[in-house]
Amino acid sequence: MTTPSAPPASQPEKRVVTVAIENGHALVTIDNPPVNALGVSVRKGLMDALAEVNDAGCTSAALVCAGKTFVAGGDISEFAGPPPLPHLPDVLDAIEASETPFIAVMHGTVLGGGLELALACAWRLADANTRFGLPEVNLGLIPGAGGTQRLPRVIGLEPAARMAASGKPVSAKAFEEMGGLDLVFSGDPMAALASFRDALPARPAKTSTRSVTDADLTALKAEIAKSAKGAEAPLIALETTALAARLPFAEGQAIERQTHLDLRQSAQSRALRRLFFANRAVTRPERLRDIEAAKIEHVAIVGGGLMGAGIAAACLAAGHRVTIIERDSASAEAGRGRVEAIIAKDLASGRIGEDKAEARRAKLEAGDSYAAAFDADIAIEAVFEDADVKRAVFTELVAVMREDALVATNTSYLDPNLISRGLPGQGRFLGLHFFSPANIMKLVEVVGTDASSAETMATAFAFARGLGKIPVETGVCDGFIGNRILSAYRRQADYMVADGASPYAVDAAMRSLGMPMGPYELQDLTGLQISWANRKRQRAAGTWPGRYVDIADRLCEMGRQGRGSAAKKGWYDHTAGKGAPDPEIEAMVAAWREEQGVTPKTFSNEEIVMRIMAAIVNEANLILEEGIASSDTAVDIVWTEGYGFPKHLGGPMFWAEETGIDRLREAFADVAAQSPGSWKPAGVFKG
Ligand code: COA
């Protein structure tokens, strides 16, 4: 006889909020890894805890969090749908009104809903390393549980409006100075809590009942409007915070809540939330999750120019030992000087103190011998963009390095397979494409060769993440994900300039979309010579696609190679400091058109944007079809992190979806008709 199998014993649901009461004092612990987000289970747990401590008539209730941080916000994954009960504002109102007063004891990052929770408590204690912020604007939102209304009642209107509108966190020291904290402690939080409770001050007035002195926010508003560049949430956050001085708490909070809920539906917030999660998924590829990364301690960098020095500074900041290898000792010293200048700048700006600056300097070596790379765990070459030169560097490196150490090229266009072909230990080679300035820019394209081992890739991702970077995997093609799309962008911009648009109008149009600068301003900033060399290479190899416009080449021949060139000129005239449109260029472009027999057409601002975006989206789709990028979010991360595409527009792929593929199809048809034979249409644009 067979016994029917027993139903699986139901797992007791893990309690995310627990209460312990001792001598009339309660300890309420939130334990909801990874960041104690205020999801529905925590909100319910807090309501139950509140009832329990009040039923027990506790003298005080301390609110602490398990793990690496106090509450880091509402649960973003809940934001797509209607919020389940209980709602956070009600939970916080109840905590504020609680008979038993609450003491927030904080560590880690107290963000968004976490800070709102702390503001509803009677007292706030924090570890000295804690950071506080209202980062909702970074997700296209404003606080939704009283943050904009309680914070000004604690620290004053201007500082509160600044925190809510900028989204930038502040240190415990700064927050204490603003009046946000009752105690900052170092060491054991329980000891700090015990001594605070021993001399418990009189319970302060409930935050929501305090009044707010009005302040002139005009200057702050101008500052925020400038930095928002089309993002809508920052100014809304500022205006909503300003209500605290004019309306009773309940009215201000109701407006804040409704605005928060409305913004959850906005395209900007959806775009930013998608990037938030994509960022985490793309930087940790699924197939590498279970592969152990090798430990990286010593990094050798070949080439101490701008790029090499930036990479070195990033590695030093992450605590690695760094050796710069140059062709002679004078160049090595110049490389060291560049890295030290970056360290000095970080010191001068207050980003780091003298102790950290000294620790970084102490871990830096520079010399002219490859032998110094013998015990490096990874070597990164950042020399001249020429396959033979880079190959020679690789050959020198493999002669001295361990066979399990990684060898990476920082090429921005070349095929790492060619650079490493035939060298021993094929599994260890790869491309790591940093963006300049490498000590600041977060994007790193990780380019596997045909032979890169999974361990090499896992180590490269872990290494890049450890530098605080955003690594994105890309397949091999000319320019990888980012620069290949950039080439399409520039090509279409050039075609419009050739056919009648002013380069200054093209720049203005792309700025109107929200790009920090247009394609010609960008060329002036980065220098025209690299893309010139690259165009020559592609034309020599017969890989230049379609119509060729040589206006930029002519600028280069005239010595106008950008802001940093001796002439201090490129598309713009930079001789007077700030770049100014140059009538000489307008005349030269007009003469070029005449010479080519082009009858100039006019392009509206919208036409310029749509045609350029159609070219970008077409190239991005080709990249996806060819498997160069693994997902549309990977493309969007590359373009938002590496090329300044506005994050609130989500990246080119998200933007295309929101704009409507039919409108883009129309624009692409115009692009194709404008320059016949110059564009390979992606699947979505065919037919
Ligand atoms: N809601 C839901 N999940 C969150 C979250 C939130 N508010 N904050 C972080 N997470 C998740 C991440 O998605 C990640 O999940 P994964 O491991 O499945 O990929 C995990 O928590 C760890 O986050 P991560 O960013 O990788 O860790 P970190 O230590 O580098 O940074 C924070 C921690 C809290 C500083 C960072 O996650 C952050 O800024 N979070 C957003 C805070 C915020 O905007 N709060 C206001 C919300 S309105």
Side-chain angles (χ1 to χ4, degrees):
M1 199 177 116
T2 52
T3 355
S5 56
S10 63
Q11 290 279 341
E13 210 182 304
K14 183 180 167 271
R15 292 189 58 193
V16 290
V17 181
T18 51
V19 180
I21 299 173
E22 210 180 300
N23 300 330
H25 292 294
L27 186 68
V28 178
T29 305
I30 301 176
D31 185 3
N32 184 32
V35 296
N36 292 311
L38 289 168
V40 63
S41 55
V42 176
R43 298 198 297 273
K44 277 188 188 149
L46 282 172
M47 286 308 255
D48 293 345
L50 192 65
E52 193 176 334
V53 300
N54 278 291
D55 286 351
C58 292
T59 317
S60 78
L63 189 57
V64 299
C65 286
K68 65 177 183 177
T69 182
F70 193 77
V71 172
D75 187 339
I76 303 168
S77 61
E78 272 183 11
F79 288 1
L85 289 166
H87 293 162
L88 190 56
D90 301 331
V91 177
L92 301 194
D93 286 351
I95 287 179
E96 190 185 66
S98 161
E99 198 62 32
T100 299
F102 273 70
I103 311 168
V105 185
M106 300 172 279
H107 69 294
T109 40
V110 179
L111 302 175
L115 183 52
E116 292 176 307
L117 172 61
L119 291 166
C121 294
W123 297 283
R124 285 166 294 280
L125 282 44
D127 176 275
N129 293 317
T130 314
R131 295 181 70 74
F132 301 86
L134 291 176
E136 286 85 349
V137 290
N138 299 327
L139 298 171
L141 298 168
I142 67 166
T148 65
Q149 303 304 298
R150 279 198 181 91
L151 190 58
R153 288 176 160 84
V154 173
I155 66 169
L157 188 57
E158 207 274 348
R162 182 175 290 279
M163 281 179 74
S166 72
K168 291 197 181 114
V170 299
S171 66
K173 186 164 175 280
F175 198 50
E176 186 189 28
E177 280 165 10
M178 291 174 189
L181 296 173
D182 299 282
L183 177 75
V184 175
F185 60 84
S186 296
D188 181 9
M190 288 305 118
L193 170 65
S195 53
F196 185 79
R197 270 194 322 222
D198 283 349
L200 201 64
R203 183 171 180 166
K206 294 184 177 91
T207 309
S208 65
T209 61
R210 301 181 202 170
S211 62
V212 178
T213 309
D214 211 350
D216 182 5
L217 300 178
T218 322
L220 178 63
K221 198 169 165 181
E223 193 186 309
I224 296 295
K226 190 157 175 252
S227 62
K229 291 196 180 77
E232 60 192 11
L235 277 178
I236 300 176
L238 186 143
E239 300 289 1
T240 312
T241 311
L243 297 177
R246 299 204 291 274
L247 298 177
F249 177 82
E251 280 179 46
Q253 190 190 29
I255 294 173
E256 177 207 73
R257 180 71 180 169
Q258 194 51 51
T259 312
H260 166 89
L261 292 176
D262 291 346
L263 283 174
R264 281 191 190 186
Q265 314 296 324
S266 71
Q268 292 199 357
S269 180
R270 283 186 286 112
L272 289 161
R273 275 156 29 212
R274 171 177 164 275
L275 283 177
F276 177 84
F277 288 115
N279 209 314
R280 281 148 185 84
V282 166
T283 56
R284 292 182 178 81
E286 192 62 49
R287 73 185 164 84
L288 301 176
R289 290 224 173 147
D290 297 331
I291 297 169
E292 201 178 328
K295 197 167 157 12
I296 302 280
E297 199 265 322
H298 183 197
V299 184
I301 295 169
V302 184
L306 199 65
M307 183 53 98
I311 299 172
C315 293
L316 290 165
H320 298 299
R321 184 157 66 86
V322 173
T323 302
I324 290 181
I325 299 168
E326 263 288 0
R327 68 179 94 82
D328 53 49
S329 53
S331 309
E333 282 316 303
R336 182 202 295 276
R338 282 186 200 99
V339 181
E340 288 186 344
I342 295 172
I343 297 172
K345 214 169 154 191
D346 282 349
L347 182 63
S349 71
R351 269 194 291 272
I352 54 170
E354 182 50 47
D355 51 339
K356 279 201 176 149
E358 190 41 45
R360 289 180 194 182
R361 285 188 218 109
K363 288 196 164 185
L364 175 65
E365 293 289 337
D368 60 0
S369 165
Y370 279 92
F374 83 98
D375 66 344
D377 304 298
I378 182 169
I380 304 169
E381 75 70 23
V383 301
F384 186 65
E385 191 74 353
D386 176 289
D388 291 336
V389 177
K390 288 180 184 291
R391 217 181 130 69
V393 169
F394 268 32
T395 310
E396 296 270 10
L397 286 169
V398 298
V400 296
M401 290 175 72
R402 290 192 322 269
E403 200 156 303
D404 62 347
L406 272 60
V407 180
T409 166
N410 180 53
T411 181
S412 38
Y413 285 95
L414 304 171
D415 181 350
N417 285 293
L418 296 182
I419 299 172
S420 58
R421 181 176 289 165
L423 294 175
Q426 280 289 297
R428 62 174 153 172
F429 299 107
L430 78 159
L432 276 182
H433 178 211
F434 287 82
F435 285 66
S436 190
N439 51 310
I440 294 176
M441 297 288 286
K442 294 206 154 195
L443 181 66
V444 177
E445 285 180 322
V446 183
V447 197
T449 69
D450 297 341
S452 301
S453 69
E455 289 73 20
T456 291
M457 296 302 278
T459 303
F461 269 90
F463 169 64
R465 284 197 308 268
L467 300 185
K469 303 292 181 198
I470 299 177
V472 178
E473 186 164 18
T474 161
V476 175
C477 66
D478 212 301
F480 313 121
I481 298 175
N483 280 341
R484 176 165 159 189
I485 295 177
L486 182 67
S487 295
Y489 174 15
R490 286 188 170 163
R491 221 148 51 82
Q492 179 53 28
D494 282 354
Y495 293 160
M496 279 185 295
V497 170
D499 291 343
S502 147
Y504 310 121
V506 172
D507 279 350
M510 294 316 286
R511 274 199 314 270
S512 75
L513 178 71
M515 296 292 284
M517 57 184 93
Y520 298 105
E521 291 163 298
L522 180 66
Q523 284 181 46
D524 272 11
L525 181 69
T526 55
L528 274 69
Q529 61 283 3
I530 294 182
S531 42
W532 187 27
N534 205 38
R535 286 194 299 277
K536 283 189 201 160
R537 179 178 59 78
Q538 279 182 288
R539 294 192 81 201
T543 55
W544 180 264
R547 181 181 173 195
Y548 191 76
V549 174
D550 68 351
I551 301 175
D553 299 359
R554 292 193 187 182
L555 259 73
C556 291
E557 284 156 9
M558 289 159 68
R560 299 188 62 135
Q561 299 188 354
R563 201 159 84 173
S565 64
K568 289 204 165 73
K569 287 182 182 178
W571 293 95
Y572 292 77
D573 181 344
H574 303 272
T575 48
K578 199 173 179 311
D582 190 345
E584 209 183 299
I585 290 290
E586 301 267 25
M588 181 212 153
V589 173
W592 183 93
R593 289 186 198 121
E594 218 170 286
E595 182 191 309
Q596 307 283 322
V598 173
T599 313
K601 285 193 272 289
T602 48
F603 293 93
S604 69
N605 199 70
E606 199 198 330
E607 267 171 323
I608 295 174
V609 169
M610 287 304 290
R611 286 190 190 198
I612 285 183
M613 287 308 297
I616 287 179
V617 171
N618 183 60
E619 203 64 36
N621 274 291
L622 287 173
I623 282 172
L624 286 162
E625 285 167 17
E626 292 166 23
I628 301 294
S630 57
S631 63
D632 54 0
T633 47
V635 171
D636 285 346
I637 285 176
V638 167
W639 258 63
T640 49
E641 290 297 338
Y643 298 82
F645 194 89
K647 288 187 181 159
H648 61 265
L649 299 183
M653 298 302 286
F654 185 86
W655 182 90
E657 231 170 79
E658 289 292 311
T659 304
I661 206 68
D662 289 342
R663 279 184 67 200
L664 276 159
R665 264 198 203 108
E666 242 172 68
F668 186 75
D670 293 337
V671 165
Q674 186 190 341
S675 313
S678 297
W679 300 99
K680 175 181 171 191
V684 283
F685 291 146
K686 270 194 188 135

